[in-house]
């Protein structure tokens, strides 16, 4: 069986190929912190069951002969193929006797970021299992971004748990969370070609409008050879998180994605403060604002169910002038205005139509796709926020899930990507950055400023 990559996957796949030329690649990660121990045999058995339920994860990526369109080559799910995939995907390390297990874990995770991948033969996920002191466990899931988004990754992790999400035989099956991997939702099925052409023109116009104001970042745009990715993690819970949510309600005008807009404002202000500290000025700041395609639809039911694989994301680029970042009320109002305008114009559908257009190109021209006006400015900083999926993951084996967080890289200057995630009553920030373009001290200062804007907002 062949499963075509959707339009968003296709463009991410092309982006991934471009990045790999420089030694990188677009590999997200998701980390599960657990209280309790999991035997390696039990974890391998859970991974085997998960891969058996989703054969697309076992196979590789093929290319159609004439169109050069990428697709998942799905096998028949034979036991031998699954066992081989598990052997490649699973890594266990016992750090319980290490004097500084935390430092050892960080060093091993960093060393294993990126590297070779079984793109043509599979598997498409990697699972690192670390046994930690004091009866704790850490799982690290990695995958190529063109496989799935953060929601899909959470669904995969849930399939490792005691009550994995079921897969519906068709879209009408009860309360099932997942569609079969080959039954992708048809995003544009309710739109005529005439209407889509108009949306594509609007989408291109939005991209051109963003270029009217430049972003002269003082953050390094290094041409040095790629030296690997690094990750910083910040975590807030208890009274601090309660105060943060109260500040969001107090300082952020009502409307769609209110808490996400509060976080975006903190990132914009942190960028402005960092520029001032370094003695530089920027006319404007740009950040991506990812959301699920279909968010603008009044019924909100486009993705009530979805396959595990696939990315169903659009990412309008928000532009704020440097003068707007100095006043929280002005900044928050401007972010709301841009988000509401994007949704009112069905910008998410228009951007998906643009992605469908880009996906008509041959793989030989992937690098040219990013010259299309897809509303992504060359100096836009990463930003995203996601919450928990329906059907929360709470246990794996005998271990209780304490926290889940993750992120991924971006090479768009300035080569860093702050990703926020909520789990229960706690908030995480994962800042992924590229070395040597971004130095460790600079990344730490950026994370400190973001934290200050969240904990002590003015």
């Amino acid at each position: 069986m062949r499963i075509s990559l959707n339009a968003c996957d296709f463009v991410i796949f092309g982006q991934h190929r471009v990045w790999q030329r420089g030694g990188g690649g677009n590999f997200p990660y998701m980390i599960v912190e657990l209280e309790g121990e999991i035997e390696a045999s039990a974890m391998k058995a859970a991974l085997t069951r998960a891969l058996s339920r989703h054969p697309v994860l076992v196979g590789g990526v093929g290319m159609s002969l004439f169109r050069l369109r990428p697709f998942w080559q799905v096998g028949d799910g034979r036991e031998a193929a699954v066992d081989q995939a598990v052997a490649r995907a699973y890594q266990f390390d016992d750090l319980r006797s290490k004097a500084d297990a935390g430092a050892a874990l960080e060093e091993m995770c960093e060393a294993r970021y990126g590297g070779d991948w079984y793109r043509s033969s599979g598997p498409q996920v990697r699972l690192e299992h670390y046994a930690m002191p004091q009866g704790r466990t850490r799982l690290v899931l990695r995958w190529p971004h063109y496989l799935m988004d953060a929601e899909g990754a959470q669904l995969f992790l849930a399939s490792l748990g005691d009550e994995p999400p079921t897969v519906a035989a068709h879209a009408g099956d009860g309360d099932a969370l997942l569609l079969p991997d080959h039954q992708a939702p048809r995003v544009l099925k309710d739109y005529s070609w005439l209407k889509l052409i108009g949306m594509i023109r609007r989408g291109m116009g939005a991209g051109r409008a963003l270029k009217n104001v430049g972003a002269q970042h003082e953050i390094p745009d290094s041409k040095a050879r790629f030296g690997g990715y690094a990750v910083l993690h910040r975590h807030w819970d208890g009274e601090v998180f309660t105060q943060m949510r109260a500040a969001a309600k107090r300082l952020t005008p009502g409307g769609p994605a209110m808490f996400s807009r509060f976080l975006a404002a903190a990132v914009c202000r942190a960028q402005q403060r960092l520029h001032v500290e370094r003695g530089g000025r920027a006319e404007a700041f740009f950040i991506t604002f990812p959301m699920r395609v279909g968010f603008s639809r009044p019924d909100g039911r486009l993705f009530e169910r979805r396959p595990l694989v696939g990315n169903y994301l659009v990412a309008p680029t928000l532009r704020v002038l440097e003068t707007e970042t100095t006043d929280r009320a002005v900044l928050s109002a401007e972010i709301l205005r841009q988000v509401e305008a994007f949704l009112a114009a069905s910008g998410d559908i228009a951007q998906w139509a643009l992605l469908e257009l880009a996906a008509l190109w041959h793989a030989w021209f992937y690098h040219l796709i990013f010259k299309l006006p897809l509303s992504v400015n060359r100096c836009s900083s990463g930003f995203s926020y996601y919450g928990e999926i329906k059907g929360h993951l709470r246990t794996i084996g005998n271990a209780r899930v304490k926290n889940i967080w993750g992120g991924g890289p971006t090479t768009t200057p300035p080569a860093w990507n702050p990703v926020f995630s909520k789990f229960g009553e706690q908030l995480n920030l994962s800042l992924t950055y590229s070395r040597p373009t971004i130095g460790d001290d600079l990344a730490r200062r950026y994370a400190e400023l973001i934290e200050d804007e969240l904990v002590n907002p003015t």
Side-chain angles (χ1 to χ4, degrees):
M1 179 192 300
R2 293 183 177 185
I3 299 178
S4 296
L5 276 67
N6 70 34
C8 187
D9 302 338
F10 180 91
V11 174
I12 294 174
F13 180 69
Q15 179 192 60
H16 176 85
R17 284 167 59 97
V18 172
W19 289 11
Q20 281 197 313
R21 293 176 183 175
N26 196 342
F27 296 106
Y29 55 89
M30 194 163 286
I31 296 174
V32 187
E33 301 174 2
L34 301 110
E35 295 286 354
E37 297 184 348
I38 306 175
E39 293 292 332
S41 58
M43 195 70 256
K44 288 185 72 173
L47 180 58
T48 300
R49 290 192 298 270
L51 295 184
S52 298
R53 283 192 291 266
H54 300 284
V56 67
L57 304 179
V58 177
V61 178
M63 286 280 193
S64 59
L65 183 59
F66 297 106
R67 290 191 59 203
L68 299 182
R69 179 71 182 259
F71 59 85
W72 296 112
Q73 183 66 63
V74 183
D76 56 10
R78 288 179 298 176
E79 184 176 342
V82 173
D83 289 343
Q84 184 181 45
V86 170
R88 285 177 166 180
Y90 180 73
Q91 174 74 47
F92 174 74
D93 290 279
D94 191 344
L95 305 181
R96 288 174 291 188
S97 61
K98 291 283 186 180
D100 192 344
L105 172 67
E106 185 175 340
E107 182 179 346
M108 296 177 78
C109 286
E110 189 173 293
R112 290 169 174 167
Y113 202 135
D116 295 331
W117 203 266
Y118 305 107
R119 191 176 73 199
S120 60
S121 60
Q124 298 303 321
V125 294
R126 288 180 178 172
L127 184 67
E128 300 161 26
H129 175 191
Y130 300 95
M132 305 295 289
Q134 300 176 331
R136 294 175 293 120
T137 298
R138 180 74 61 94
L139 300 178
V140 181
L141 175 69
R142 305 186 197 274
W143 69 97
H145 200 337
Y146 53 83
L147 173 70
M148 59 188 176
D149 51 29
E151 185 178 27
Q154 290 186 78
L155 288 167
F156 175 78
L157 288 170
S159 71
L160 301 174
D162 297 333
E163 297 181 5
T166 56
V167 178
H170 55 80
D173 274 0
D175 296 323
L177 285 171
L178 288 175
L179 289 172
D181 291 328
H182 63 282
Q183 290 188 6
R186 294 172 55 201
V187 177
L188 305 179
K189 64 182 178 65
D190 296 331
Y191 298 87
S192 67
W193 276 108
L194 188 61
K195 191 168 185 179
L196 289 176
I197 290 171
M199 287 185 167
I200 288 172
R201 294 181 64 184
R202 285 205 306 272
M204 288 183 170
R208 287 190 292 268
L210 285 172
K211 296 180 180 179
N212 292 335
V213 177
Q216 298 175 346
H217 281 271
E218 298 297 327
I219 305 305
D221 181 7
S222 174
K223 303 301 181 184
R225 183 175 176 84
F226 174 73
Y229 297 119
V231 177
L232 289 177
H233 176 229
R234 296 289 186 270
H235 170 255
W236 304 279
D237 59 7
E239 185 177 349
V240 174
F241 185 38
T242 300
Q243 292 174 352
M244 200 180 295
R245 289 191 295 188
K249 293 180 180 179
R250 185 177 73 253
L251 299 172
T252 310
M258 186 187 73
F259 192 63
S260 186
R261 287 185 282 113
F262 171 72
L263 300 174
V267 169
C268 289
R269 285 173 62 90
Q271 287 190 74
Q272 188 270 341
R273 290 174 60 183
L274 194 60
H275 277 70
V276 171
E277 287 183 359
R278 294 173 58 85
R281 294 294 296 273
E283 187 178 356
F285 298 97
F286 296 79
I287 66 167
T288 55
F289 197 82
M291 62 182 71
R292 181 197 270 184
V293 63
F295 191 63
S296 67
R297 289 170 60 121
D299 57 13
R301 297 173 65 88
L302 181 60
F303 287 96
E304 195 171 38
R305 299 181 182 88
R306 56 157 292 171
L308 184 150
V309 299
N311 291 266
Y312 296 96
L313 302 172
V314 294
T317 301
L318 305 184
R319 182 198 70 196
V320 294
L321 301 178
E322 191 273 341
T323 53
E324 294 169 333
T325 63
T326 57
D327 187 312
R328 168 77 72 156
V330 173
L331 173 62
S332 298
E334 178 59 21
I335 290 174
L336 174 62
R337 184 192 69 78
Q338 293 185 42
V339 171
E340 287 188 327
F342 180 81
L343 296 175
S346 298
D348 55 333
I349 303 298
Q351 194 174 103
W352 193 271
L354 269 174
L355 293 174
E356 292 278 10
L357 178 64
L360 296 176
W361 292 38
H362 281 200
W364 291 333
F365 299 100
Y366 282 168
H367 64 288
L368 297 178
I369 289 175
F370 304 104
K371 296 184 183 297
L372 290 176
L374 295 176
S375 302
V376 178
N377 187 279
R378 68 173 299 275
C379 285
S380 62
S381 172
F383 165 82
S384 62
Y385 167 67
Y386 61 87
E388 293 178 78
I389 60 169
K390 179 182 177 181
H392 311 293
L393 173 62
R394 287 294 180 260
T395 60
I396 298 178
N398 295 321
R400 179 180 65 87
V401 177
K402 183 181 179 183
N403 194 14
I404 301 177
W405 56 277
T410 176
T411 56
T412 302
W416 53 26
N417 188 25
V419 175
F420 296 90
S421 58
K422 181 180 177 293
F423 183 79
E425 294 301 303
Q426 47 193 336
L427 180 71
N428 298 279
L429 165 63
S430 175
L431 177 63
T432 310
Y433 59 99
S434 300
R435 290 171 171 159
T437 302
I438 301 295
D440 294 340
D441 290 342
L442 180 61
R444 279 193 293 269
R445 183 55 181 156
Y446 187 36
E448 288 170 0
L449 290 173
I450 294 174
E451 182 169 23
D452 188 54
E453 289 293 336
L454 295 174
V455 177
N456 305 299
T458 57

